[in-house]
Amino acid sequence: MSRTPSFAVISGAQVQQVVGGRENDVIRVVEAAYRLHGAGETVNPDSYFLRFPDRPSSRIIALPASVGGKVDVHGIKWISSFPENVAEGIPRASAVLVLNDTTTGYPFACLESSIISAARTAASAALAAVLLSERRQVRPSRVGFVGAGVIARYIHSYLAASGFDFESVGVHDLSADHARGFAGYLARTGRIEPTVHDTAEELVRASDLIVFATVAAEPHVTDLGWFSHNPLVLHISLRDLSPEIVLGSCNVVDDVEHCLKAATSPHLAEQRTGNRDFIAGTLFDVLTGTSVPDADRPVIFSPFGLGVLDLALARYVYDQVAASGDLVTVPGFFHDLQRHENPPTPRPPGDEGAARPRRGGEQAGGQP
């Protein structure tokens, strides 16, 4: 008789307890996942977008994936993006992630995943900033954030944990309130008083490391001249830059096939030229030394966001929670597992009351 599969639920509080303050551990998990992906030990199909005719700005995305090596897990992330949430005082994105056993295929855990998604995004950005700076032999000293949301906050935290010590920090957001709020956070957590810039141009020209973390649906930055000082650009939101800027820069992506679709800025550049010659390589290529970014042009890192990163970090979280003894499983989640024996007893017609859950203090007959 095989062991009955178990199913665990891991809350956002538990996820935060694992990843909070462990930025360097998370970066190592993400780097290892990139190496597995580059070595062909992952499966990362296309993401699937659920869109709504009456809410064109909103979407829910399914990211199935599989990671080999020591991670050894299949799974899927189901993440929504509803920008209107921000006006209601709740984050734009929410997510869950399901992990599946690689032997039986049974799902064995469901994790709150907005924190995992934000942490792996920030870890990827910080890893790219470190590697690209080292390869260019230029250490950024002035950072600017275009977009002042949760992802920007996480990236700032991961850059700090990676050893970046900036002389200046700039912020620009279409919402003045959001910009001031993020600037207030930066002032509380750092030694530098941040500057809130009125325009994206002002911020770009004043920064040699620029983080785009917006919800832009199409390019809004179109002048390559803003980047004449050859900054390093972490193009996390993927759709901020015009094809002209992409084509005038050295471009590094996380995965070529994934990044050049869905009307991302690199995809628009491919459509403009009919080729992919403007892609210098992937982050794995930079990791392994087969691609060296230019020092005399802007360098843009555009990560599509691979599901394998989410799975690798989710597996790490699951293992940490399990090792702590705090794993919460759902009794009876998998039921009727016998193929032929002991079929369920049919319920007599009209006996709906038999299924009523028993409350505390009630006896079998339902009397208090």
Side-chain angles (χ1 to χ4, degrees), residues 14-232:
Q14 290 177 298
V15 174
Q16 184 63 55
Q17 189 172 19
V18 171
V19 303
R22 298 182 185 175
E23 289 89 351
N24 290 316
D25 290 340
V26 174
I27 291 172
R28 282 191 286 270
V29 170
V30 166
E31 179 180 344
Y34 273 128
R35 291 186 182 276
L36 288 170
H37 186 65
E41 295 189 55
T42 65
V43 180
N44 202 106
D46 288 343
S47 302
Y48 299 90
F49 288 73
L50 176 62
R51 300 186 183 275
F52 314 97
D54 60 332
R55 301 188 66 164
S57 66
S58 300
R59 64 193 182 203
I60 308 179
I61 311 170
L63 289 82
S66 175
V67 187
K70 294 181 179 179
V71 180
D72 190 33
V73 74
H74 310 316
I76 188 167
K77 179 174 75 168
W78 181 239
I79 181 167
S80 68
S81 174
F82 280 54
E84 292 82 1
N85 286 351
V86 175
E88 301 299 323
I90 59 176
R92 168 187 62 85
S94 60
V96 294
L97 189 150
V98 175
L99 296 177
N100 292 73
D101 180 74
T102 56
T103 300
T104 66
Y106 270 82
F108 62 87
C110 178
L111 300 86
E112 196 286 330
S113 195
S114 65
I115 296 171
I116 289 173
S117 187
R120 69 85 159 146
T121 299
S124 170
L127 176 64
V130 170
L131 291 172
L132 293 170
S133 297
E134 289 177 350
R135 301 298 188 267
R136 298 177 85 198
Q137 299 183 340
V138 177
R139 189 74 168 178
S141 60
R142 303 171 298 160
V143 66
F145 294 88
V146 181
V150 172
I151 297 299
R153 171 166 60 85
Y154 269 79
I155 292 175
H156 172 263
S157 174
Y158 275 73
L159 288 173
S162 299
F164 286 94
D165 187 16
F166 298 108
E167 296 174 0
S168 66
V169 181
V171 180
H172 171 71
D173 195 285
L174 292 179
S175 166
D177 288 341
H178 295 165
R180 285 193 295 268
F182 186 47
Y185 157 79
L186 293 171
R188 293 190 300 273
T189 56
R191 60 178 179 79
I192 300 171
E193 187 68 27
T195 300
V196 176
H197 294 278
D198 292 332
T199 66
E201 177 182 2
E202 187 180 282
L203 180 140
V204 168
R205 291 187 181 277
S207 308
D208 47 23
L209 174 60
I210 303 152
V211 180
F212 284 93
T214 74
V215 293
E218 58 186 22
H220 57 96
V221 177
T222 60
D223 189 344
L224 181 60
W226 297 5
F227 302 83
S228 60
H229 55 302
N230 301 326
L232 172 58

